[in-house]
């Protein structure tokens, strides 16, 4: 059976809520809302004001994790200061999941490259999760969507380095950039599986295709968007929603798509989706239902 992916060309705060509603899936208990806080200086990340309606609708807590590189988000103190600067903590309760150790370890026996994933222990405070992803390019993964949010996005600072180093314990910053690209992408798929298995059916995905640069929101100096906004997608399948986004880019009539496609293909970004399918996370076969 094909996975259902709902799609709307209308990008408004209210329509994000409507796209969530069309899934007819109520998230139980305390709801974690995974967003990207945006590196300081980045101009493309989704603003908290834009996501206010949906976060309030699910009565969620904004969750993030610290980074594995030097910037404004590698420590909890600096990260929380940035969350205030960008307006997240002014509008919502914010939880840096790995603000205190020890990390929670999720086992991944079926993992291709990594057999465990380090995540912030505060994840245990939430019975369900709404993953809101800003779909765009990425300098290492080729593209950033739901699978990346599940993997790198939800890993602790230590976990991010572990994924980037393809399972090497105590890997250095330089080690993160010296691994085989395909193994890094497979490590991301492994990490994503650990989160999917953790929440099982209590997780929903929304991808927003706007402000699409070839660079990620983690880049303090990022390229401006290269392709026109496309829309909002919602699904219960992280593989299908990412594949649908990729297909919408390729099928776009905007000439600027070539820049984004070049970034995706130069990093073999589709391999994360391929690896995720092999792990049983979701399906590349989907029904796109326009709302």
């Amino acid at each position: 059976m094909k996975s259902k992916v709902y799609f709307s060309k209308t990008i408004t705060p209210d329509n994000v809520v409507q796209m969530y509603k069309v899934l007819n899936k109520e998230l139980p208990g305390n709801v974690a809302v995974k967003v990207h806080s945006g590196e300081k200086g980045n101009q493309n990340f989704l603003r908290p004001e834009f996501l206010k309606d949906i976060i309030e609708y699910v009565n969620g807590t904004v969750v993030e994790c610290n980074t594995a590189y030097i910037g404004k988000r590698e420590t909890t103190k600096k990260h929380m200061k940035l969350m205030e600067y960008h307006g997240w903590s002014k509008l919502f309760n914010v939880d840096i999941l790995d603000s205190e150790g020890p990390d929670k370890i999720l086992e991944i026996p079926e993992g291709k490259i990594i057999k465990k994933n380090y995540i912030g222990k505060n994840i245990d405070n939430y019975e369900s999760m709404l993953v809101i992803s800003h779909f765009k390019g990425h300098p290492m993964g080729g593209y950033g969507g739901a699978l990346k949010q599940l993997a790198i996005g939800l890993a602790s600072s230590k976990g991010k380095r572990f994924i980037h180093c393809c399972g090497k314990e105590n890997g250095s910053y330089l080690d993160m950039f010296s691994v085989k690209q395909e193994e890094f992408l497979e490590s991301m798929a492994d990490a994503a599986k650990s989160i999917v298995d953790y929440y099982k059916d209590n997780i929903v995905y929304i991808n927003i295709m706007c402000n699409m640069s070839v660079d990620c929101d983690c880049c303090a100096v990022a390229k401006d968007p290269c392709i026109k906004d496309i829309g909002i997608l919602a699904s219960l399948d992280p593989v299908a929603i990412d594949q649908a986004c990729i297909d919408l880019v390729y099928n776009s009539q905007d000439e600027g798509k070539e820049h984004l496609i070049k970034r995706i293909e130069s990093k073999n970004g589709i391999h994360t989706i391929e690896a995720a399918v092999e792990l049983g996370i979701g399906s590349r076969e989907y029904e796109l239902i326009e709302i």
Side-chain angles (χ1 to χ4, degrees):
M1 183 180 295
K2 294 181 179 180
S3 296
K4 293 182 179 180
V5 179
Y6 296 91
F7 169 63
S8 173
K9 296 177 182 178
T10 304
I11 305 176
T12 64
D14 177 69
N15 206 36
V16 179
V17 177
Q18 298 310 312
M19 293 299 288
Y20 170 80
K21 287 181 178 180
V22 79
L23 292 171
N24 196 29
K25 171 68 178 179
E26 184 175 348
L27 293 173
N30 292 329
V31 181
V33 182
K34 177 63 178 75
V35 302
H36 196 301
S37 50
E39 188 59 67
K40 189 172 183 179
N42 186 279
Q43 73 274 36
N44 300 319
F45 72 96
L46 298 174
R47 299 308 195 266
E49 295 81 8
F50 178 78
L51 297 177
K52 183 174 183 290
D53 289 359
I54 183 61
I55 294 172
E56 290 183 346
Y57 183 81
V58 300
N59 192 27
T61 298
V62 167
V63 302
E64 255 287 29
C65 301
N66 294 320
T67 64
Y69 55 82
I70 297 173
K72 300 298 183 182
R73 298 183 296 138
E74 88 266 22
T75 67
T76 299
K77 183 177 180 179
K78 292 170 71 175
H79 202 161
M80 284 302 297
K81 185 176 180 180
L82 182 69
M83 293 296 261
E84 181 176 0
Y85 176 79
H86 279 166
W88 295 104
S89 55
K90 295 176 184 177
L91 294 178
F92 317 111
N93 292 325
V94 173
D95 188 356
I96 306 299
L97 297 179
D98 60 335
S99 58
E100 295 181 359
D103 286 341
K104 181 180 181 67
I105 299 176
L106 298 181
E107 302 294 335
I108 320 169
E110 307 95 330
K112 289 173 167 289
I113 303 298
I114 60 174
K115 301 296 183 180
K116 59 184 176 181
N117 187 24
Y118 294 96
I119 60 175
K121 65 180 180 62
N122 290 4
I123 200 169
D124 283 337
N125 296 330
Y126 306 96
E127 286 75 37
S128 58
M129 178 172 283
L130 171 59
V131 178
I132 301 177
S133 304
H134 175 207
F135 187 88
K136 68 284 181 189
H138 193 278
M140 294 188 71
Y143 84 94
L147 291 172
K148 180 182 176 294
Q149 274 282 60
L150 289 172
I152 297 294
L154 281 165
S156 67
S157 180
K158 176 179 179 179
K160 287 178 172 62
R161 185 162 294 184
F162 186 74
I163 295 167
H164 272 286
C165 293
C166 297
K168 181 178 181 180
E169 295 282 2
N170 302 314
S172 69
Y173 180 77
L174 292 178
D175 288 333
M176 293 169 57
F177 302 96
S178 60
V179 299
K180 294 180 179 179
Q181 178 67 5
E182 283 69 27
E183 291 186 358
F184 162 61
L185 300 176
E186 290 169 8
S187 292
M188 281 209 295
D190 292 340
K193 178 175 173 56
S194 74
I195 302 297
V196 171
D197 288 349
Y198 179 81
Y199 278 113
K200 298 181 170 62
D201 294 330
N202 294 324
I203 190 165
V204 166
Y205 308 92
I206 295 177
N207 282 11
I208 302 175
M209 302 182 74
C210 69
N211 301 339
M212 288 178 285
S213 166
V214 297
D215 290 324
C216 179
D217 298 341
C218 57
C219 300
V221 180
K223 296 284 188 180
D224 286 332
C226 60
I227 180 175
K228 291 180 181 178
D229 296 349
I230 291 178
I232 301 172
L233 294 86
S235 183
L236 302 179
D237 184 334
V239 173
I241 196 171
D242 277 7
Q243 182 66 60
C245 287
I246 295 285
D247 292 342
L248 284 167
V249 169
Y250 274 82
N251 292 328
S252 170
Q253 299 302 308
D254 191 323
E255 293 181 357
K257 71 178 183 181
E258 297 302 329
H259 299 286
L260 187 52
I261 290 172
K262 182 178 179 180
R263 172 57 58 88
I264 294 169
E265 294 183 348
S266 69
K267 298 298 180 181
N268 195 20
I270 199 70
H271 189 57
T272 305
I273 291 176
E274 295 170 340
V277 170
E278 291 184 11
L279 290 168
I281 296 175
S283 173
R284 295 179 74 178
E285 299 295 321
Y286 63 89
E287 178 185 4
L288 191 67
I289 304 168
E290 187 164 354
I291 304 298

